[in-house]
Amino acid sequence: MVKICCIGAGYVGGPTMAVIALKCPAIEVVVVDISVVRIAAWNSDQLPIYEPGLDEVVKQCRGRNLFFSTDIEKHVSEADIIFVSVNTPTKTRGLGAGKAADLTYWESAARMIADVSKSDKIVVEKSTVPVKTAEAIEKILMHNSKGINYQILSNPEFLAEGTAIEDLFKPDRVLIGGRETPDGQKAVKALKDVYAHWVPEDRIITTNLWSAELSKLAANAFLAQRISSVNAISALCEATGADVTEVAYSVGRDSRIGPKFLNASVGFGGSCFQKDILNLVYICECNGLPEVAHYWKQVIKINDYQKSRFVNRVVSSMFNTVSGKKIAVLGFAFKKDTGDTRETPAIDVCKGLLGDKATVSIYDPQVTEDQIQRDLAMNKFDWDHPIHLQPMSPTAVKQVRVTWDAYEATKGAHGVCILTEWDEFKTLDYQRIYDNMQKPAFVFDGRNIVNVDKLREIGFIVYSIGKPLDAWLKDMPAIA
């Protein structure tokens, strides 16, 4: 019986291993983590992450061939294949701070594997890592090998939050990178055989180690670039009276371009895009390619510009001040169908409004008040480091209230900012919201999900990203 152990029970490790266990009943899968709280949650009815379909998969396999444990060393030493999906946050200090990936957790995992292993192992990189990480890991394992053979594989994940289970069931591709030696190829085949239980052969791509590592960073950079491209065009649309939805639709009909990832918005978020691009930028700089680094950096610059442009629009529309005014924020997660707030544009928008002394009232169907307060009190990049390294009990931001109801959040507000495209925001009773707001009542739609004409009929002044401007907004300077 093949035994698989995964170090790290987060957004990647948990769902991936649950699906492997479901699809390969003959394989024993154990997910280990140092966090007792997190493992307890995986063993309970309230899983630590929200992902459609995940509950059913876990409940089907848990206790049969899927286990969650804090006994890391025991399970690592028994495993044949070890997946490592620990955090690779952006460094906050030292060499490469603000760009380079911090491989502290990776390295300690590698050293632990070397310490406890008594038999040959295949070690699989699952976290997004900088190119050539495999080489560093290999060196650590080889120098501590005690005669044991290690093969390092890169098997990056291409999951999108909110559809992770679907992505695992029917992946576009599974990428496995390994050494081009007989032993390396044997290891690649062993992992390929696991995926072949449910993934068609032609969707399993095998490459060399470096190609696999770089493909993940490149894929995320290309996706983020599309969002920044359409967001850049959205600013031009507002200036010229064009409609970004129409422009994006026309562009997306070109079969070479395709329609996905062309929705203009307040900006991209999530744990990967910014982190991976910064990482790519750093690798380019380290390899003497400043022009390439500069090119990819622009993707993040446009994203930051889009968020500050949104805040400027809110403030300038309201007579150039939001001081003491209640602003309702609908949606805090970085996209719908997930409770994840990592790098969500809502953080920068809220901080911008708070910086102008607004009172902010937030509603998100999946994000807790504790999480929101923590996000608003945290420094950039802190979110990706373990909780005990984050600021203790962040001082709650006084001007922020978190409610559990959209109508409560908007009551008495001067303006409403929609920052996540939750389906329920499309069907709210906007007449009721309007009646309970201060006048003039503003809606700033950061996700282009509301029916603009309908809202204007009710009496709202509406700003939608990349759409022809409301007459009211035309008279107000966009940049204060």
Side-chain angles (χ1 to χ4, degrees):
M1 187 175 188
V2 178
K3 288 192 175 180
I4 291 180
C5 175
C6 174
I7 304 172
Y11 276 95
V12 175
T16 308
M17 293 304 118
V19 170
I20 289 179
L22 179 73
K23 300 290 191 183
C24 312
I27 296 178
E28 180 183 294
V29 181
V30 185
V31 183
V32 296
D33 199 295
I34 48 175
S35 165
V36 178
V37 181
R38 180 171 276 184
I39 291 295
W42 278 109
N43 281 318
S44 73
D45 285 337
Q46 194 62 49
L47 300 184
I49 62 177
Y50 168 71
E51 195 60 62
L54 178 63
D55 270 23
E56 295 78 58
V57 176
V58 171
K59 292 202 170 96
Q60 253 176 290
C61 310
R62 196 170 54 192
R64 187 188 71 195
N65 66 328
L66 175 64
F67 304 93
F68 297 93
S69 165
T70 49
D71 191 346
I72 302 178
E73 299 189 355
K74 168 181 186 290
H75 293 292
V76 167
S77 75
E78 290 174 0
D80 304 300
I81 302 177
I82 301 165
F83 284 85
V84 185
S85 61
V86 296
N87 268 11
T88 48
T90 305
K91 284 180 80 166
T92 50
R93 51 178 66 124
L95 188 64
K99 285 186 289 212
D102 181 345
L103 296 178
T104 314
Y105 313 112
W106 236 112
E107 185 174 331
S108 55
R111 289 183 183 280
M112 184 270 301
I113 292 169
D115 281 348
V116 305
S117 295
K118 297 181 180 58
S119 57
D120 293 357
K121 307 274 183 233
I122 296 174
V123 178
V124 184
E125 293 177 338
K126 201 69 188 149
S127 344
T128 305
V129 289
V131 187
K132 299 282 180 174
T133 302
E135 202 160 47
I137 304 307
E138 224 168 36
K139 284 179 178 150
I140 291 168
L141 293 172
M142 294 312 165
H143 284 279
N144 295 286
S145 72
K146 303 176 259 182
I148 290 168
N149 264 317
Y150 294 102
Q151 281 304 322
I152 317 291
L153 300 178
S154 171
N155 173 219
E157 55 82 20
F158 294 105
L159 307 178
E161 284 179 47
T163 58
I165 298 299
E166 196 50 36
D167 296 342
L168 284 161
F169 281 172
K170 295 195 182 84
D172 287 340
R173 77 295 204 193
V174 169
L175 186 55
I176 303 172
R179 284 283 192 199
E180 287 146 318
T181 61
D183 281 349
Q185 291 306 299
K186 222 163 94 182
V188 168
K189 184 177 177 333
L191 185 55
K192 194 173 172 179
D193 289 346
V194 171
Y195 283 110
H197 279 80
W198 79 96
V199 181
E201 180 99 18
D202 61 348
R203 297 215 166 177
I204 304 176
I205 305 171
T206 56
T207 65
N208 74 30
L209 263 174
W210 322 132
S211 299
E213 289 183 332
L214 186 55
S215 294
K216 172 64 181 172
L217 295 183
N220 275 348
F222 275 54
L223 289 170
Q225 182 192 39
R226 281 179 74 107
I227 297 175
S228 280
S229 296
V230 78
N231 282 345
I233 295 295
S234 77
L236 186 58
C237 286
E238 287 168 32
T240 55
D243 181 333
V244 74
T245 313
E246 295 174 351
V247 174
Y249 180 73
S250 309
V251 170
R253 287 306 297 251
D254 185 323
S255 59
R256 295 164 304 176
I257 297 172
K260 291 187 175 165
F261 268 69
L262 289 181
N263 293 324
S265 69
V266 61
F268 60 74
S271 62
C272 294
F273 284 177
Q274 177 159 311
K275 181 175 88 173
D276 289 357
I277 292 173
L278 288 171
N279 205 334
L280 194 61
V281 166
Y282 184 67
I283 295 166
C284 292
E285 288 172 350
C286 291
N287 284 293
L289 303 170
E291 291 81 1
V292 182
H294 182 71
Y295 174 76
W296 287 109
K297 213 183 272 175
Q298 293 303 314
V299 173
I300 290 177
K301 281 209 172 127
I302 286 284
N303 196 48
D304 290 340
Y305 162 73
Q306 188 77 342
K307 292 183 281 195
S308 62
R309 200 168 75 79
F310 187 85
V311 173
N312 288 346
R313 184 69 80 182
V314 173
V315 178
S316 65
S317 308
M318 296 189 176
F319 317 105
N320 237 345
T321 175
V322 289
S323 179
K325 293 178 182 172
K326 176 175 173 180
I327 308 284
V329 167
L330 298 185
F332 199 82
F334 81 90
K335 66 175 182 183
K336 71 173 186 177
D337 294 337
T338 173
D340 194 350
T341 60
R342 296 180 291 182
E343 293 290 347
T344 171
I347 294 174
D348 286 339
V349 171
C350 289
K351 281 183 173 173
L353 295 171
L354 292 166
D356 220 304
K357 300 199 168 54
T359 307
V360 179
S361 180
I362 303 172
Y363 164 67
D364 187 289
Q366 281 292 338
V367 186
T368 63
E369 172 157 18
D370 179 57
Q371 183 63 51
I372 289 173
Q373 288 287 7
R374 189 187 288 282
D375 285 334
L376 291 176
M378 226 182 280
N379 292 324
K380 220 159 177 41
F381 305 125
D382 275 356
W383 55 266
D384 211 1
H385 293 264
I387 296 273
H388 62 271
L389 294 181
Q390 291 172 12
M392 284 307 286
S393 63
T395 44
V397 185
K398 296 287 182 290
Q399 304 92 321
V400 173
R401 287 198 47 235
V402 179
T403 65
W404 276 109
D405 166 49
Y407 299 105
E408 184 58 38
T410 51
K411 191 182 288 172
H414 286 259
V416 176
C417 296
I418 301 173
L419 300 184
T420 313
E421 70 280 20
W422 287 102
D423 291 336
E424 65 182 77
F425 298 157
K426 296 177 186 169
T427 55
L428 290 170
D429 179 349
Y430 282 99
Q431 183 66 56
R432 175 180 165 193
I433 288 174
Y434 180 79
D435 294 342
N436 288 314
M437 281 174 70
Q438 305 277 352
K439 309 298 180 295
F442 296 85
V443 169
F444 301 95
D445 183 1
R447 296 287 180 172
N448 288 353
I449 60 168
V450 299
N451 180 331
V452 178
D453 297 335
K454 215 166 168 184
L455 261 58
R456 286 189 180 134
E457 265 168 40
I458 291 172
F460 284 106
I461 293 159
V462 185
Y463 165 68
S464 274
I465 287 184
K467 303 273 184 139
L469 292 178
D470 196 298
W472 176 287
L473 302 168
K474 278 194 183 126
D475 302 335
M476 298 283 174
I479 302 297

